C-alpha cells in the first residue's frame, strides 16, 4: 500500500516508516520538521514538506493518491498541555480535523492514529485494559480521547476505518541502529537519564520515593519504539483485511520503576548519573501497567524488544551515534 506518514520524520514516525518499508509498503513522509529531523529520513522515501495547520498543504499531499495514512503529528507533553492548552487545541484538534478532511476529500479512508494511555487517567485497576474508564487528567490526554471520538463519527458518516493505538511509555531506539535522531527537548525518563549520563545535564530529578511500590518510586510500562512501529503495520493490515476499526493498548505488560531504570542505566553506560530525590509531582500515579491481550488477540502483536536492557542499550547507542557519549 502507498501510505502517507504524517510526522514521519519524528522519533516514532521514522521507525514506523522503516517498518512499513520492511513489510512491502511505500511510505511517503509528510512533516514540517518542527520536531522531526531530516536525519531520520530514508533516502528512498518521498518527502513532502508541509504543515497540518495549512489545509492546502494537506490537500496537495493527499492529491498524490494514498491507500492509507498514519497520523503521528500531535504535540505530546502532558505538563505543557496544562500550561498551554491553546497550543494543543490548535495543533492536536484542529490539525487532526484538517488531516481527516483532506483524507476524506481524496478518498483515503484507512487511518492509523497514535493515541495514548493518557486517555485513561488515574487507574482504577491494573493492568489497564481497553474497557477501563476514560477520564484524562491532562489536556493532552483529553485531545487524544476527543480525536478518538471524532474518528468514530467519521466512521459512521464517512466510512472511515481507523486503528487507535493507545501507547503506554514509548522508549528505545532501533536495534539495527537507524533511525537514531534524538528527540528534541525530551520530557520522558529514558532520554533524561541519557542526557545526564552523557553530560548534557548535570543531574536529574527523581520525583517521589514514598509511593506504595516495591522501591518507593513510580512504576511505568515501557514499550520499545520498534514494537510500536510493528503494531502500526499490523493495525493497518487488520483494518484493510477486515474493513473494521479497532482500538488497542500497546504496552509491554511489565512495570519498571524509576530506580530500576536508573540503576540499570548506570551499569550499561558506566556513568554515575547524578540524581536528586525530590517530592512527588502532582498527578503522577504510583503505577501504570497495560494489558495488551486484545492486541495479541486481534493483531497478533506482542512486545518483543521491550525488556529493560534492550530499551537502555538501544537508547545509549543512539546517543553515542550522535556524539553524546564522553
Amino acid at each position: 500500500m502507498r501510505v502517507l506518514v504524517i510526522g514521519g520524520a519524528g522519533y516514532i514516525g521514522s521507525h514506523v516508516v522503516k517498518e512499513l518499508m520492511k513489510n512491502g509498503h511505500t511510505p511517503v513522509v509528510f512533516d514540517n520538521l518542527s520536531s522531526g529531523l531530516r536525519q531520520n529520513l530514508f533516502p528512498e522515501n518521498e518527502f513532502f514538506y508541509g504543515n497540518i495547520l495549512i489545509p492546502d498543504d494537506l490537500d496537495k499531499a493527499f492529491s498524490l493518491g494514498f491507500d492509507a495514512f498514519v497520523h503521528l503529528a500531535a504535540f505530546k507533553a502532558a505538563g505543557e498541555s496544562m500550561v498551554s492548552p491553546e497550543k494543543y487545541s490548535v495543533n492536536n484538534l484542529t490539525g487532526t480535523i484538517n488531516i481527516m478532511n483532506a483524507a476524506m476529500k481524496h478518498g483515503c479512508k484507512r487511518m492509523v492514529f497514535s493515541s495514548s494511555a493518557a486517555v485513561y487517567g488515574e487507574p482504577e485497576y491494573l493492568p489497564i485494559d481497553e474497557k477501563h474508564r476514560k477520564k484524562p487528567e491532562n489536556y493532552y490526554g483529553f485531545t487524544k480521547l476527543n480525536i478518538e471520538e471524532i474518528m468514530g463519527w467519521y466512521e459512521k458518516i464517512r466510512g472511515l476505518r481507523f486503528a487507535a493505538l493507545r501507547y503506554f511509555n514509548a522508549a528505545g531506539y532501533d536495534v539495527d541502529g537507524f533511525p537514531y535522531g534524538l528527540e528534541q527537548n525530551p520530557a520522558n525518563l529514558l532520554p533524561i537519564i541519557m542526557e545526564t549520563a552523557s553530560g548534557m545535564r548535570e543531574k536529574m530529578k527523581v520525583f517521589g520515593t514514598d509511593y506504595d511500590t516495591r522501591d518507593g518510586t513510580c512504576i511505568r510500562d515501557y514499550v520499545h519504539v520498534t514494537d510500536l512501529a510493528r503494531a502500526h503495520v499490523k493495525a493497518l493490515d487488520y483494518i484493510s483485511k477486515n474493513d473494521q476499526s479497532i482500538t488497542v493498548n500497546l504496552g509491554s505488560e511489565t512495570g519498571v520503576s524509576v530506580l530500576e531504570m536508573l540503576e540499570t542505566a548506570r551499569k550499561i553506560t558506566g556513568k554515575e548519573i547524578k540524581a536528586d530525590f525530590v517530592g512527588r509531582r502532582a498527578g503522577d500515579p504510583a503505577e501504570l501497567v497495560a494489558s495488551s491481550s486484545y492486541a495479541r488477540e486481534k493483531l497478533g502483536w506482542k512486545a518483543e524488544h521491550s525488556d529493560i536492557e534492550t530499551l537502555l542499550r538501544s537508547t545509549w547507542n543512539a546517543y553515542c551515534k550522535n556524539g553524546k557519549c564522553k
Side-chain angles (χ1 to χ4, degrees):
M1 280 188 281
R2 187 168 157 84
V3 184
L4 186 63
V5 185
I6 302 168
Y11 166 56
I12 297 175
S14 56
H15 287 81
V16 170
V17 167
K18 181 172 185 175
E19 202 66 29
L20 284 165
M21 289 191 293
K22 283 173 61 178
N23 285 271
H25 299 292
T26 303
V28 174
V29 173
F30 180 104
D31 206 300
N32 69 354
L33 301 178
S34 60
S35 59
L37 302 170
R38 289 191 182 275
Q39 177 186 359
N40 284 336
L41 296 173
F42 294 82
E44 59 266 49
N45 287 144
E46 187 178 349
F47 172 59
F48 193 105
Y49 181 86
N51 192 319
I52 63 173
L53 300 182
I54 302 176
D56 281 352
D57 286 356
L58 290 162
D59 185 62
K60 289 174 184 175
F62 276 103
S63 70
L64 300 174
F66 293 96
D67 302 296
F69 65 101
V70 182
H71 174 21
L72 305 114
F75 292 146
K76 61 174 186 171
E80 182 188 44
S81 75
M82 298 298 285
V83 177
S84 303
E86 299 85 358
K87 175 180 177 180
Y88 280 68
S89 295
V90 172
N91 187 80
N92 292 12
L93 299 178
T94 304
T96 299
I97 292 168
N98 288 343
I99 291 167
M100 293 172 67
N101 287 348
M104 297 306 101
K105 176 181 175 181
H106 292 280
C108 185
K109 296 191 176 183
R110 299 186 186 104
M111 174 179 183
V112 180
F113 174 60
S114 62
S115 192
S116 170
V119 302
Y120 295 116
E122 182 76 26
E124 294 183 338
Y125 57 83
L126 294 172
I128 298 171
D129 58 23
E130 291 81 1
K131 296 177 182 178
H132 190 284
R133 175 211 62 184
K134 267 67 76 181
K135 190 176 181 182
E137 294 203 340
N138 53 65
Y139 193 69
Y140 160 71
F142 165 79
T143 66
K144 292 289 189 177
L145 183 58
N146 191 243
I147 291 165
E148 287 188 12
E149 292 170 348
I150 292 170
M151 290 191 300
W153 280 105
Y154 273 58
E155 179 181 36
K156 293 177 183 178
I157 299 169
R158 289 286 178 254
L160 174 71
R161 295 295 180 264
F162 67 85
L165 307 180
R166 293 174 179 162
Y167 307 167
F168 276 64
N169 292 59
Y173 277 82
D174 185 85
V175 293
D176 297 327
F178 189 89
Y180 59 88
L182 300 180
E183 288 188 87
Q184 308 298 299
N185 303 311
N188 300 326
L189 178 63
L190 256 69
I192 288 173
I193 287 175
M194 293 305 170
E195 287 190 352
T196 310
S198 65
M200 298 168 67
R201 296 172 184 249
E202 180 183 353
K203 60 177 66 175
M204 58 173 286
K205 293 180 179 179
V206 174
F207 295 96
T209 58
D210 59 348
Y211 286 97
D212 185 18
T213 60
R214 53 184 172 265
D215 61 19
T217 61
C218 288
I219 291 174
R220 294 292 181 266
D221 185 327
Y222 295 90
V223 57
H224 196 281
V225 65
T226 298
D227 288 330
L228 288 178
R230 287 176 40 251
H232 285 73
V233 178
K234 286 182 175 290
L236 178 59
D237 291 344
Y238 178 89
I239 61 176
S240 300
K241 291 175 182 175
N242 295 282
D243 191 31
Q244 184 177 358
S245 297
I246 189 169
T247 299
V248 297
N249 288 343
L250 298 177
S252 69
E253 302 185 298
T254 301
V256 178
S257 77
V258 175
L259 277 185
E260 289 166 346
M261 195 69 79
L262 181 56
E263 289 301 325
T264 307
R266 286 170 173 156
K267 293 174 185 175
I268 287 172
T269 64
K271 304 294 183 180
E272 180 183 0
I273 312 181
K274 293 180 180 178
D276 285 338
F277 295 88
V278 298
R280 299 184 184 190
R281 288 183 302 193
D284 270 353
E287 186 171 359
L288 291 174
V289 178
S291 167
S292 296
S293 60
Y294 194 57
R296 278 197 302 277
E297 175 191 344
K298 294 296 184 180
L299 304 182
W301 176 89
K302 65 177 181 177
E304 296 177 355
H305 303 286
S306 296
D307 60 281
I308 188 171
E309 292 270 342
T310 302
L311 290 168
L312 284 163
R313 287 191 189 281
S314 63
T315 306
W316 185 236
N317 287 342
Y319 275 76
C320 292
K321 281 198 166 198
N322 280 279
K324 302 300 182 183
C325 298
K326 295 182 180 179

